[in-house]
Amino acid sequence: MKILVVGSGGREHAIAWRLAQDAERHQLFCAPGNAGTRAVATNVDLKAEDITGIVAWAKAERPDLVVVGPEAPLVAGLVDALAAEGIVAFGPVAAGARLEGSKRFAKEVMDAAGVPTGKAQTFTDAVAAKAALADYGLPVVVKADGLAAGKGVIVAETRADAEAAIDDMLVANKFGAAGAEVLLEEFLHGEECSILALVDGERAVLLPSSQDHKRVFDGDKGPNTGGMGAYSPAPVITSDKLPLIRDRIILPVVRELKRRGITYRGILYAGLMVNDENSNPHGPLAKSGSTVNVVEFNARFGDPETEAVLPRLGGSFATALLHAATGCLSDADVVVRDESAATVIIASGGYPGGYEKGKEISGLGGEMPNAIVFHCGTRAEGDRVLTAGGRVLSVTGIGATLREAVDRAYAAVGRISFEKSFHRSDIAHRAFERD
Ligand code: AMP
Ligand code: GLY
């Protein structure tokens, strides 16, 4: 197949890399890609948000499939625009991507579909929002409705913090249009994890479970990031929960969207809070009464979850994506290897705040047994590879056990260096704490 992957991060490198592992030989392109995707694909000099440019490229090149990585082009309608030209694309149409683009819309769909999630209300008026705080107790979660690059969620421990977050969004307009509506949401106790489901408009097949590490420092300290590491499987998702997640969360949402005239195809990523005797920590049960609640939906593969999940998939990945994109997905499309994967992000000093770019990366060459180095924020300059983002590399180790996978990831991380780099050294700690 001729396939274009849209995006430039570790997720897109992992998607292109996994497509390159298929037994069929694909012709792969990545727009814009990074220094790592060059090894498996031809980079095309078009930004992921350049819908006009990508559609023009696709009209000229006629790929069999376009796989859209990031949320911004999905929300902006890239899949709709490609479909209008008869080009098959993996990812939801804009109306479906609103599940990620508008938290209020996601709550409406979940309520209509009876999906367990935190109790929430939406406000446009700061006075009314503050008055409603009394109904929520503490902590309370204050969320901007729209896309805010991961910064629009404040878990407020005090009423004053909650009021300040409401003022930031509704009065000071700090999040622009994304914060013009604000959700107050019940705080959910428990352990977070991710389920990525392949969806074809009607059917859904769950990919292996995973857990990411959102805080910047060891011990889950410091500010939130895009994710500092991940591992798969996540033992908090015991096998008895999988039918519940598919039949009470994923499929009801897909059906509710269909009822609204939206055929959802692509990845439906459920960020879940699990609160049972297996979770670490656990606390009072949510008002929904369910042990598994939805924290958020994303309309795409997670990053860095993808870098831990995709190496565990067997079979033809291109066929699975094509079947989802064309409405003929079956359970047989997803083959999961019985092994573990752990991904460690190597980041630029200062991230998620300000950081420097353009540092030369050394140690990328040579054999790294059972480890794969995905590039997140890099660019090539001649033979040199330079840092070009906050999250720079995503190093995945594979093993028969999670311990082996983690050790292999860190062995590879130890060989790579650039000025002011840092990484977390406790990836998968929640899984080990339960052993
Ligand atoms: P979101 O963008 O909605 O995923 O929120 C970002 C992060 O905030 C989540 O990954 C959680 O760690 C936290 N969070 C969001 N909503 C809640 C909630 N209702 N209860 C507890 N933590 C939450
Ligand atoms: N790892 C979290 C996300 O992709 O949204």
Side-chain angles (χ1 to χ4, degrees), residues 103 118 141 143 150 153 155 185-189 192 214 224 273 295-296:
K103 294 184 190 293
V141 188
K143 297 185 174 183
V153 174
V155 177
E185 189 177 307
E186 171 191 5
F187 179 81
L188 299 167
H189 294 268
E192 276 185 270
K214 290 189 201 244
N224 264 329
M273 190 70 82
V295 176
E296 64 163 346

Side-chain angles (χ1 to χ4, degrees), residues 56-360:
W57 184 91
K59 272 173 78 175
E61 295 288 334
R62 307 304 306 180
D64 301 296
L65 180 66
V66 176
V67 184
V68 185
E71 61 275 20
L74 292 169
V75 171
L78 177 55
V79 171
D80 313 58
L82 289 166
E85 299 296 341
I87 291 155
V88 177
F90 178 85
V93 291
R98 277 185 77 209
L99 275 185
E100 175 164 1
S102 166
K103 294 184 190 293
R104 180 168 63 81
F105 177 69
K107 284 287 182 192
E108 273 172 27
V109 170
M110 283 190 269
D111 283 348
V115 170
T117 185
K119 179 188 144 193
Q121 278 170 285
T122 310
F123 299 90
T124 51
D125 176 60
V127 176
K130 288 178 193 171
L133 280 174
D135 302 337
Y136 285 83
L138 291 169
V140 59
V141 188
V142 183
K143 297 185 174 183
D145 171 64
L147 291 180
K151 299 198 172 77
V153 174
I154 285 92
V155 177
E157 303 283 347
T158 66
R159 186 167 179 133
D161 287 350
E163 293 192 350
I166 291 169
D167 281 338
D168 280 351
M169 291 178 196
L170 290 179
V171 181
N173 230 358
K174 278 200 186 157
F175 296 87
E181 289 188 59
V182 160
L183 276 79
L184 295 187
E185 189 177 307
E186 171 191 5
F187 179 81
L188 299 167
H189 294 268
E191 186 171 344
E192 276 185 270
C193 52
S194 308
I195 283 285
L196 312 181
L198 268 180
V199 173
D200 78 346
E202 280 180 32
R203 287 162 289 256
V205 185
L206 306 191
L207 300 184
S209 64
S210 57
Q211 185 171 66
D212 83 350
H213 297 60
K214 290 189 201 244
R215 302 297 192 104
V216 67
F217 299 127
D218 283 6
D220 298 317
K221 302 270 180 358
N224 264 329
T225 68
M228 293 299 292
Y231 64 97
S232 173
V236 65
I237 306 211
T238 44
S239 57
D240 58 303
K241 295 195 178 65
L242 295 173
L244 171 108
I245 292 168
R246 197 190 58 186
D247 299 335
R248 282 208 55 206
I249 294 175
I250 303 289
L251 286 175
V253 165
V254 173
R255 286 195 204 108
E256 173 58 24
L257 290 174
K258 186 98 192 196
R259 200 184 63 74
R260 294 170 183 234
I262 303 164
T263 303
Y264 191 101
R265 291 177 171 160
I267 288 288
L268 179 53
Y269 163 146
L272 302 172
M273 190 70 82
V274 177
N275 182 5
D276 65 3
E277 66 282 1
N278 273 306
S279 49
N280 171 23
H282 58 119
L285 212 54
K287 293 201 170 65
S288 69
S290 175
T291 53
V292 180
N293 284 279
V294 175
V295 176
E296 64 163 346
F297 282 121
N298 292 318
R300 50 167 176 85
F301 284 103
D303 198 350
E305 290 95 325
T306 303
E307 293 96 299
V309 168
L310 296 196
R312 297 189 56 215
L313 296 184
S316 168
F317 189 46
T319 304
L321 298 181
L322 187 68
H323 284 175
T326 53
C328 56
L329 186 66
S330 75
D331 286 339
D333 286 321
V334 176
V335 180
V336 180
R337 297 205 188 98
D338 186 17
E339 57 194 12
S340 295
T343 299
V344 180
I345 294 283
I346 309 182
S348 300
Y351 174 79
Y355 53 84
E356 294 165 23
K357 297 182 190 176
K359 309 287 182 196
E360 183 168 358

